[in-house]
Amino acid sequence: MLLKGPALARSLSRVPVSVLPRIGSVRHVTAGCGAGDAVKGGKGIVLGLYEKESGKGPRLTPAGEKFDDRVQGKLSELVCETKLTGRLGRGKVFNNVDTDFRSICVVGVGLEGIAFNELEMLDEGMENVRIAAGIGARSLQSIGCSEVHVDNMDYAEQAAEGAALAIWRFEENLAKKYRSTIPKLELHGSPDLESWTRGLFKAEAQNLARRLCDAPANCMTPTMVAQAAVDALCPCGITVEVRTMEWIEQQHLNSFLMIAKGSCEPPVLLEVAYCGTAPEDKPILLVGQGITFNSGGINLRPCKGMDEFRGDLTGAASILAAMRAAAALSLPINITAVIPLCENLPSGMSCKPGDVVTLLNSKSLAVRNISRTGVVVISDPMLYGQITYKPRLVVDVGSMCKGVKKAVGGGATGIWSNSHYIWKQFQRAGSLTGDRLWRFPLWRYYKDRVADHLSFDLLNDGEGYASSCLAAAVLHELVPCSDWAHLDTYGTGLLSTYGLIPYLTAGRMTGRPTRTLVQFLYQIACPEQPK
């Protein structure tokens, strides 16, 4: 006998609705039906629900409607009875509705047909799918589903990204019995496996960056990062050269050594090369800040919150991850990365405030603030990369200064560029990935604060409050003739705290802006033809 209405609801024995804490502007509401133990190890499915509009009630996505037909309308009845509205990120989990899928998560995707929002500089349709897929997959993971099928919700790639980012956990230091189940993800109701796979590649790359950044500093020393890079990249056909202290000294990368000598851990410089087109084509040069622990050196940071700076290799991690994704996607482009890896610790060998170093371009750099060492660590490696590889453009990434976090928080990665074209490409990439960038000024005003001194050519912290702009001004002096962009990830690449993105885990490293870097590289490799 087919049960409908209240009888159906009673037969499913719904437990009271529980409301999880608000995540940014999104709340996730879950209603469980049936015993939780019965669900563990089973298959679950995430289905989208469009928000109700004037004169229309909430509507399941096409895949959801097919599934509803399969269960003889039970799903739409439950949606009606539980008063789901399709509001973004809010949904319920139903158990024992279908024989194949023990758990069904119906989650709101927001308004149907929503697209690019110029004011937000964001493709909201894509981002809504990431949020819905992420919240749905995480809900099913929390009740022990070993396999999660995800509705494509019209954007298979973005559904894959949201789901794969949401279920990932860094739990390598937990006892095995306490670790979360990482369910297998499958695409449901769409033949677009190519887009789905592309989304998984991008999400897995960001998860690699998250793992590198979230690992404790004693488990991710410069040598260990180098080993992790070899393990992750070499199987993809990427060349990884690991340069040791002797080589670094021979190449006179003195700004790098100046900071590295404060720690007992030996520094390492990685030269990573991906060749996706003719070898003679000029590569894109990526330079990543790789400070595996930044205590501030002699300018010691406060003890509270210092552990966050195990993630000060966010630039290096996102670049290594982006190169892995570029190889997985077979992008027709040449990419070279120069990544200096070291620790910044206080000791008798540490750099002292006021020390001066001569760079490869013969300019002198004074280091007044040892806690702002990002520009110092990458200065000579960036010059070395330009001299050696003659790149078509240079992009450097690192968590340089707190100024960008004070300006925009975790809402955007700061970008400084001497090329309007490069900025526009990054802007577009960020609007598509949901991991946006915001351009800051690169004016002579800031150059004068770092380069107008009687005793030396450059100053690592400059004069004034705009710390991130001053750091960018120093780096701009080291890029004489190339198109160049500098990304400061201080507010986005470290711990996620305020304004959390719903498909990332609170209180963990984010791995941002890995997917934006991948999208940028794709746009450079495959430019759109003018109409």
Side-chain angles (χ1 to χ4, degrees), residues 307-525:
D307 68 306
E308 179 177 8
F309 293 94
R310 70 185 185 275
D312 221 21
L313 73 162
T314 172
S318 59
I319 285 172
L320 291 172
M323 291 193 70
R324 180 178 176 176
L329 297 169
S330 301
L331 295 186
I333 193 172
N334 292 341
I335 310 168
T336 300
V338 176
I339 298 175
L341 299 164
C342 70
E343 293 180 338
N344 180 24
L345 295 176
S347 74
M349 294 288 289
S350 292
C351 176
K352 301 171 288 297
D355 283 0
V356 177
V357 62
T358 302
L359 303 177
L360 285 179
N361 63 354
S362 300
K363 289 187 176 183
S364 59
L365 172 66
V367 185
R368 278 198 320 193
N369 188 335
I370 317 302
S371 68
R372 293 187 191 173
T373 51
V375 293
V376 185
V377 165
I378 71 170
S379 289
D380 270 335
M382 190 156 77
L383 289 166
Y384 164 80
Q386 292 174 81
I387 294 166
T388 306
Y389 298 107
K390 306 293 189 296
R392 57 190 284 196
L393 68 96
V394 180
V395 178
D396 73 82
V397 189
S399 48
M400 299 293 175
C401 295
K402 193 179 285 186
V404 70
K405 184 176 182 179
K406 290 182 176 179
V408 291
T413 296
I415 180 172
W416 289 256
S417 182
N418 61 1
S419 164
H420 191 66
Y421 171 75
I422 297 302
W423 150 238
K424 282 297 180 184
Q425 291 299 316
F426 266 115
Q427 184 183 43
R428 180 170 181 267
S431 71
L432 294 174
T433 61
D435 195 357
R436 291 168 289 186
L437 296 96
W438 189 255
R439 191 180 191 183
F440 285 87
L442 199 63
W443 297 330
R444 180 171 294 278
Y445 171 86
Y446 299 109
K447 177 182 175 181
D448 292 344
R449 306 281 81 74
V450 300
D452 188 11
H453 201 280
L454 296 176
S455 303
F456 35 77
D457 299 315
L458 296 169
L459 185 62
N460 85 308
D461 62 345
E463 304 282 354
Y465 293 109
S467 58
S468 294
C469 290
L470 296 171
V474 174
L475 295 173
H476 190 204
E477 290 291 295
L478 310 180
V479 191
C481 52
S482 296
D483 286 342
W484 162 76
H486 161 62
L487 276 61
D488 193 335
T489 62
Y490 197 107
T492 54
L494 297 175
L495 290 181
S496 52
T497 47
Y498 306 108
L500 177 68
I501 295 174
Y503 45 84
L504 297 179
T505 311
R508 292 294 182 183
M509 301 295 174
T510 64
R512 299 166 69 188
T514 299
R515 287 180 299 110
T516 297
L517 277 174
V518 175
Q519 181 65 29
F520 169 77
L521 293 171
Y522 170 77
Q523 290 169 195
I524 297 296

Side-chain angles (χ1 to χ4, degrees), residues 130-141:
R130 288 189 196 95
I131 291 170
I135 288 177
R138 184 180 291 160
S139 301
L140 296 178
Q141 178 189 31

